[in-house]
Amino acid sequence: MKNSAQVGFWEKIARIILKNRITILTIVAAITIFLALQWKNLSMTYTEANLLPKDHIANKEYQKFLDKFGEEGNLVVIGFKDPNFFTPKNYAAWNELMTGLKKSKEVDLVVSLNDLKKLEKDTVNEKFVLSPFIDQSKTLDAAYLKKVQYDLFHNLPFYEGLLFNKESGSVRSAIYINKKLVNTAERKTFILENLVPKINKFEKTTGVDLKVSGMPYIRTINANDMKGEIGLFIGAALGVVSLIFFFFFRSFRATFISICILIVGVMWSFGTLGLLGYKITILTAIIPPLIIVIGITNCIFLINKYQQEIKLHNNQAKALQRIISKIGHATLMTNLTAAIGFATLMITGNELLFEFGLVTSINVLSVYILTLFIVPIVYSFLPLPKEKHLYHLSKTYISTLLNVVENTVKNKRRIVYIIYALLFIISINGVRQMKVSGSLISEMPKTASFFKDILFYEKEFNGVMPLEIMIDTKKKKGVMKASTIRKMDELQNTIAEMPELAKPVSVVNLVKYSKQAFYNGNPEYYQLPTSQEQTFILSYAKNATKNSKDNLMKAYVDSTGQYARITTFMKDIGTDEMAKVEGKLHQKIDEIFPKERFEVTVTGKALVFQKGTSYLAHNLIESLFFAILTIALLILYLFRSFKMVMASLITNILPLCITSGIMGYLDIPLKPSTILVFSIAFGISVDNAIQFMAKYRHDLLQSGGKVKKSVFSALRETGISTFYTSVILILGFGTFTLSSFSGTIALGGLISCTLIFAMFANLVVLPSLVLTFEKKKTKKEDLENLQNE
């Protein structure tokens, strides 16, 4: 009775769709136009992904730092390593470049060789003054510039590690972008239309290869590259799935209908992003091609079923009604499971994954509804398919494949289980080797020019990823106390000894430079003042920094003098290495700064990102478990059998284990992009299992409970669609490997790999498990067949 009510419901849906064709097409057109109008709200993201929940302690600490010192990721560095740089021609071009950048409204401060200041003692006024390091009137003299080169590397230890590397001879300048503009579209305009053209002009004039880096520059070029790849993804995905679809179906009509549905689905996905006001990120950028790859499977199931029905009875009305009433329910379940796979990402507490999961799950269900409506409606206006369109249903290679699968399921189930067990054991060993990577630049294209520049700065200056240490002395003007300065210096010495970190910068550097200036610039005195020297040297320093716009150190102590900041940079190291570095820092901090007198925080964009990656990795099991549990409940609701739930889950957990193992063996780390693989792949791979189980259940009812007959009947009918959809999904996700972003390449490759094993599992393992779980019934059927003979 329950079943008849269910069938009746879908028959009613079929009648509604076919009787209101024009109305439905009009509604679809109206929704498409409405969502297309939302495209005006689309824009690229201008900040890094925050992978942690807003209330996470690391986020709170980082926000506290920003409240005191403002945006820390506003530094762009331009450098070079060229022993022939110090010539009149090259210096003049450099001066023009830096002066032009300094005049830009987007730039707050430029610290560069051409207008470098040195600290000198003014004995009359008892203060330090900042005087020009270079006499501009002498820069046409090659010998004078050589002297400048020598003085820079030998007499200005204050700037060592900040503006030059004494050992290698590399030099860089620091450009600080306006903190209010650094996370806006104006940053993009400045980088692409001002900075890059000026750098290209300099390189063309001098022949000196400039190395450009810093988070604002990297993020801008990265976002620009990502924007260019969106069209590539969509075009490649549409091209691949349409070609393979046509190869299988040999029908321009069916291919054209499917492509039109997918294009509308892409328009809806962009419209949804615009409607919700979400930015285009490295994750949301892959939603449109994802919808193409997933949406084509609905077209395959519906069109394949329509053609099977036409071949069976040649009645169009009956065929159209049946593809909705028979396939509609099963495809709803498959799309629901895929949507759940994406929706589980919403429970991670991460804003980026929440947006991706929400938009993708909405559009997976939207493209399902779109396909369910459009395919039967369009075919209702078209003539019956010709014989050549139905030829693929009886192709020799498909029949041969299904014969091999059927024979394996009938006679070689033990071998199937042995292979399953071996793959599982090998995979588990690989899983143990998996690593977590929280690198900010690991998601970026290795072929990009800025990536080579990052490697240059890692080698010459120990990286460009900012790491910040904020010290709360709990007293106003507590920073400038001699005891506090000494403690900070001790911590900076520890940082300087760490090969993963760059030379730190803080107010300590200014105090040391003050002593050097007091002793007439002698670099041997670049050290902290003694207790006897402290009083008069610090008074000189305080007088020098009053109302000085050129004072670089003003960014390292807050206005109250209670908070100090130590800035360093770190190499592109993995999460495990970063945890060790952080552990060493905290150990030294606890040793130097008593907790009752100081509160010291280690933070920074790179550190927050790495903690976010670890957080996501730890929450992966929770979200994946939730997805498996939810899908299991759906299967239980559909089939009312725990055996069938177990068969489906056992079948589709294997591909996930194999993928995890491959990641371990190939040293592909867990990171924001590859973490998505598991939820996506499980949601998609279980689709074919549900299609088989739905057909098996239907045939079981029709045959009066005959298990074997129903299994092989379901295998024959769904096997073609399973093969078609698997091949298209595998090659469709394979288009992601065209990306220049390593994370996207890994995502596409790993999902394709998962689906290869999922096809094997759903064609061979699943029917084998059903027969094994129903062993008593199959033995009884065999006995009855022998008696009847």
Side-chain angles (χ1 to χ4, degrees), residues 369-424:
I369 294 170
L370 194 62
T371 311
L372 185 68
F373 286 174
I374 300 300
V375 169
I377 287 175
V378 172
Y379 269 108
S380 70
F381 291 112
L382 299 174
L384 289 172
K386 296 177 181 179
E387 188 62 34
K388 64 179 181 179
H389 299 144
L390 307 178
Y391 173 71
H392 72 95
L393 296 173
S394 55
K395 278 183 179 177
T396 307
Y397 72 87
I398 292 291
S399 299
T400 302
L401 173 66
L402 293 178
N403 288 336
V404 171
V405 171
E406 189 173 323
N407 180 58
T408 302
V409 173
K410 274 183 181 178
N411 306 311
K412 300 176 181 178
R413 291 201 293 277
R414 183 172 295 178
I415 295 176
V416 170
Y417 297 149
I418 290 173
I419 293 173
Y420 184 107
L422 287 174
L423 288 172
F424 184 77

Side-chain angles (χ1 to χ4, degrees), residues 174-247:
I175 291 92
Y176 293 86
I177 296 178
N178 187 314
K179 293 177 179 181
K180 294 179 181 179
L181 304 179
V182 73
N183 290 324
T184 69
E186 290 184 62
R187 183 197 74 205
K188 173 190 170 184
T189 304
F190 167 71
I191 297 291
L192 297 180
E193 298 180 14
N194 189 344
L195 178 67
V196 172
K198 281 184 170 62
I199 288 171
N200 291 338
K201 180 183 177 182
F202 174 86
E203 291 181 330
K204 188 176 180 180
T205 302
T206 64
V208 175
D209 179 24
L210 292 185
K211 307 295 183 181
V212 189
S213 196
M215 293 314 299
Y217 177 80
I218 293 171
R219 279 153 39 194
T220 301
I221 303 300
N222 200 44
N224 203 50
D225 292 344
M226 182 173 64
K227 185 178 179 180
E229 287 197 351
I230 295 175
L232 170 68
F233 282 156
I234 294 173
L238 275 174
V240 168
V241 300
S242 59
L243 283 174
I244 302 170
F245 188 94
F246 179 76
F247 175 78

Side-chain angles (χ1 to χ4, degrees), residues 591-735:
E591 178 186 323
I592 300 172
F593 296 94
K595 290 186 177 180
E596 64 274 10
R597 292 170 49 203
F598 298 92
E599 184 180 340
V600 183
T601 304
V602 181
T603 187
K605 267 189 170 65
L607 184 63
V608 171
F609 187 86
Q610 289 189 325
K611 286 181 179 294
T613 303
S614 298
Y615 175 86
L616 288 183
H618 294 149
N619 279 269
L620 169 65
I621 297 175
E622 178 185 334
S623 62
L624 190 58
F625 175 78
F626 182 77
I628 292 171
L629 178 62
T630 307
I631 291 170
L633 291 173
L634 282 172
I635 297 172
L636 182 62
Y637 167 77
L638 182 63
F639 304 114
R640 303 295 196 275
S641 169
F642 282 104
K643 289 181 179 179
M644 297 304 99
V645 172
M646 290 302 298
S648 300
L649 294 184
I650 291 172
T651 298
N652 288 285
I653 285 175
L654 174 64
L656 297 185
C657 292
I658 292 174
T659 302
S660 302
I662 290 172
M663 290 177 68
Y665 287 123
L666 298 183
D667 199 27
I668 300 173
L670 275 174
K671 51 186 178 179
S673 53
T674 55
I675 281 173
L676 298 176
V677 170
F678 302 98
S679 295
I680 294 174
F682 183 77
I684 294 173
S685 66
V686 81
D687 289 356
N688 288 324
I690 291 177
Q691 290 286 352
F692 170 83
M693 299 298 288
K695 177 61 180 170
Y696 165 68
R697 180 174 176 272
H698 175 268
D699 290 353
L700 198 63
L701 294 171
Q702 295 292 319
S703 65
K706 294 187 180 298
V707 175
K708 276 193 172 181
K709 181 181 178 181
S710 301
V711 165
F712 294 116
S713 171
L715 185 58
R716 281 281 168 185
E717 182 168 324
T718 62
I720 297 175
S721 295
T722 297
F723 177 73
Y724 285 175
T725 55
S726 295
V727 171
I728 288 181
L729 283 168
I730 290 164
L731 295 177
F733 277 108
T735 61

Side-chain angles (χ1 to χ4, degrees), residues 404-594:
V404 171
V405 171
E406 189 173 323
N407 180 58
T408 302
V409 173
K410 274 183 181 178
N411 306 311
K412 300 176 181 178
R413 291 201 293 277
R414 183 172 295 178
I415 295 176
V416 170
Y417 297 149
I418 290 173
I419 293 173
Y420 184 107
L422 287 174
L423 288 172
F424 184 77
I425 293 169
I426 293 171
S427 300
I428 293 301
N429 185 52
V431 171
R432 294 168 57 193
Q433 301 178 40
M434 288 179 69
K435 298 177 182 177
V436 177
S437 170
S439 165
L440 262 173
I441 66 173
S442 66
E443 302 281 356
M444 299 175 183
K446 305 292 186 292
T447 56
S449 58
F450 69 76
F451 195 86
K452 295 176 183 176
D453 292 351
I454 289 173
L455 299 181
F456 169 82
Y457 283 104
E458 285 204 345
K459 180 181 178 182
E460 300 295 326
F461 296 95
N462 279 21
V464 293
M465 303 301 155
L467 182 68
E468 302 283 356
I469 299 172
M470 185 170 72
I471 301 167
D472 178 6
T473 62
K474 299 183 179 181
K475 291 181 180 180
K476 288 185 177 182
K477 298 183 179 180
V479 172
M480 295 310 294
K481 284 188 174 182
S483 58
T484 304
I485 294 293
R486 283 196 298 272
K487 291 177 185 296
M488 291 175 63
D489 184 48
E490 188 177 349
L491 179 57
Q492 288 190 197
N493 290 335
T494 300
I495 294 172
E497 291 170 0
M498 294 184 181
E500 302 89 352
L501 300 178
K503 182 179 177 181
V505 181
S506 76
V507 70
V508 172
N509 300 64
L510 178 61
V511 174
K512 289 182 178 181
Y513 195 20
S514 298
K515 179 173 178 177
Q516 180 189 352
F518 187 81
Y519 286 99
N520 301 315
N522 188 338
E524 292 182 4
Y525 288 95
Y526 183 72
Q527 54 190 243
L528 290 181
T530 63
S531 55
Q532 291 84 1
E533 297 166 328
Q534 178 187 322
T535 303
F536 48 87
I537 288 180
L538 287 186
S539 66
Y540 268 62
K542 288 176 183 178
N543 290 335
T545 58
K546 285 180 180 178
N547 303 317
S548 175
K549 293 182 179 179
D550 293 323
N551 176 22
L552 178 62
M553 291 297 102
K554 66 181 180 181
Y556 291 88
V557 180
D558 81 317
S559 58
T560 67
Q562 179 175 331
Y563 293 87
R565 165 190 184 184
I566 299 175
T567 297
T568 181
F569 297 91
M570 67 181 184
K571 293 182 178 180
D572 179 33
I573 56 179
T575 302
D576 292 341
E577 289 80 3
M578 187 59 229
K580 293 176 183 177
V581 169
E582 189 183 3
K584 288 179 183 177
L585 287 175
H586 280 296
Q587 183 179 356
K588 191 66 177 178
I589 287 168
D590 292 342
E591 178 186 323
I592 300 172
F593 296 94

